Amino acid sequence: MKQGLVLEGGAMRGLFTAGITDVMMEHGLWPDGLIGVSAGAAFGCNYKSRQPGRAIRYNKRFARDPRYSGLRSLLATGDYFNAVFAYHTVPREYDHFDDHAFEANPMAFVVVCTDVETGQPVYQQLDKSGYATYEYIRASASMPLASKVVCIEGRKLLDGGVSDSIPLEWAEHNGYERNVVILTQPSGYRKSRTRLMPLMRLGLRRYPRMLEAMDRRHLMYNRQLDYVAQAEREGRCLVIRPDGKLPIGHVCHDPDQMEHVYQMGREAGRKNIKAIEAFYSRL
């Protein structure tokens, strides 16, 4: 029976998820596969490379560094999170990503992106580290309007959360029967239609299918919440979510605020670790 770990996105809310997954790693929990979306991919890659603490460490270190993220980067490069510095220079030169451990870990690692030409999700399993892997992770976390389209291997990609925000159904259809799902919104949350559609229509006017996906994203997301709730009631998944709205926005340049949300995740991880262990061990 394959064990899965499903990580939704949420930009800097993903530091809550990183706190939970760090506790899971510290307790030696290694599921058969992890599927991450957006921040769930960007921070979840550290699970496969067996590097607890890395996500919070480099985010705090570069929180106020204009080379890493910010309006200066957005205006100069078209990416709020600098495509070269954040996704290639940092893991190579400043906070080394363990390529060897990533490749040696047999856990499957799948990221979700959205094909801007079709508006459909792209599920990419990443087994080998290196430039292409970093680019797929970047694409998964590239928010519309705050990022340029990522062109890789003949595809044009952006944020996976646009087309499949909580890929529990995909995980189940691909043989993962016992899934821990980590959400970054509290119980009772429902997504509303984005108010940014006028800007989206301007910025993504060349990609009408992507615009359609953006316009119905709230409907997709709320259906997925219903699917997760049903799976949770039936005992097919274990859901961990924050108790209330996380006190952090999509972007953040305050290391203390980052640390606070990360510690909230660690507390949730410690609180739920016995339940996770029991859930994964149940036959």
Side-chain angles (χ1 to χ4, degrees):
M1 183 174 289
K2 289 169 67 176
Q3 304 166 346
L5 179 60
V6 178
L7 308 181
E8 90 158 307
M12 282 301 168
R13 294 198 309 271
L15 290 173
F16 172 81
T17 302
I20 297 170
T21 56
D22 282 356
V23 170
M24 291 174 66
M25 282 191 274
E26 290 162 6
H27 282 78
L29 291 174
W30 304 104
D32 299 299
L34 183 159
I35 178 166
V37 183
S38 196
F43 300 159
C45 64
N46 298 297
Y47 206 122
K48 184 169 171 63
S49 67
R50 299 176 183 260
Q51 291 179 278
R54 182 173 178 272
I56 184 62
R57 185 172 63 238
Y58 71 74
N59 273 287
K60 288 174 62 177
R61 178 179 178 182
F62 295 105
R64 296 191 173 102
D65 192 325
R67 296 174 298 169
Y68 184 73
S69 66
L71 290 177
R72 186 185 303 180
S73 174
L74 180 62
L75 293 173
T77 71
D79 289 293
Y80 191 90
F81 288 90
N82 187 281
V84 175
F85 188 82
Y87 287 95
H88 296 281
T89 304
V90 168
R92 290 298 189 204
E93 299 181 17
Y94 292 100
D95 197 315
H96 288 274
F97 186 71
D98 195 331
D99 296 306
H100 176 74
F102 182 91
E103 294 179 3
N105 188 344
M107 181 182 74
F109 177 66
V110 178
V111 301
V112 185
C113 306
T114 301
D115 187 316
V116 299
E117 295 183 315
T118 67
Q120 295 300 307
V122 172
Y123 306 93
Q124 186 70 33
Q125 182 165 326
L126 302 173
D127 300 314
K128 299 293 183 181
S129 194
Y131 182 84
T133 284
Y134 295 167
E135 284 292 276
Y136 271 112
I137 292 170
R138 177 168 79 93
S140 181
S142 289
M143 298 178 289
L145 298 184
S147 310
K148 293 187 299 185
V149 171
V150 181
C151 299
I152 180 169
E153 297 182 343
R155 292 174 171 141
K156 297 180 179 179
L157 306 174
L158 279 176
D159 188 354
V162 173
S163 55
D164 192 349
S165 298
I166 312 170
L168 174 61
E169 188 171 6
W170 183 93
E172 291 183 334
H173 286 173
N174 284 272
Y176 295 96
E177 299 175 77
R178 304 205 65 74
N179 293 285
V180 172
V181 180
I182 302 179
L183 303 179
T184 58
Q185 295 284 10
S187 178
Y189 173 80
R190 305 295 285 186
K191 186 177 286 295
S192 301
R193 184 173 181 267
T194 180
R195 298 177 179 179
L196 297 177
M197 281 310 299
L199 288 176
M200 295 288 181
R201 290 192 178 97
L202 180 63
L204 295 168
R205 58 190 178 277
R206 294 173 56 193
Y207 305 109
R209 297 292 177 84
M210 183 68 173
L211 286 171
E212 291 173 7
M214 286 296 307
D215 199 30
R216 63 174 184 266
R217 182 183 182 186
H218 63 296
L219 302 175
M220 174 274 297
Y221 185 88
N222 292 334
R223 283 195 299 269
Q224 290 191 324
L225 287 178
D226 294 339
Y227 186 92
V228 169
Q230 182 64 30
E232 186 178 21
R233 286 192 294 270
E234 294 175 358
R236 304 198 322 266
C237 73
L238 175 66
V239 181
I240 305 173
R241 53 172 67 86
D243 293 331
K245 182 179 179 180
L246 291 172
I248 197 166
H250 273 74
V251 296
C252 176
H253 298 281
D254 183 344
D256 292 336
Q257 191 175 19
M258 293 177 178
E259 180 68 26
H260 177 58
V261 171
Y262 172 73
Q263 290 299 333
M264 290 176 69
R266 288 194 61 88
E267 177 59 28
R270 289 189 291 265
K271 178 181 176 182
N272 288 280
I273 195 65
K274 295 298 183 183
I276 297 171
E277 291 173 336
F279 181 78
Y280 275 153
S281 64
R282 194 187 312 162
L283 298 177

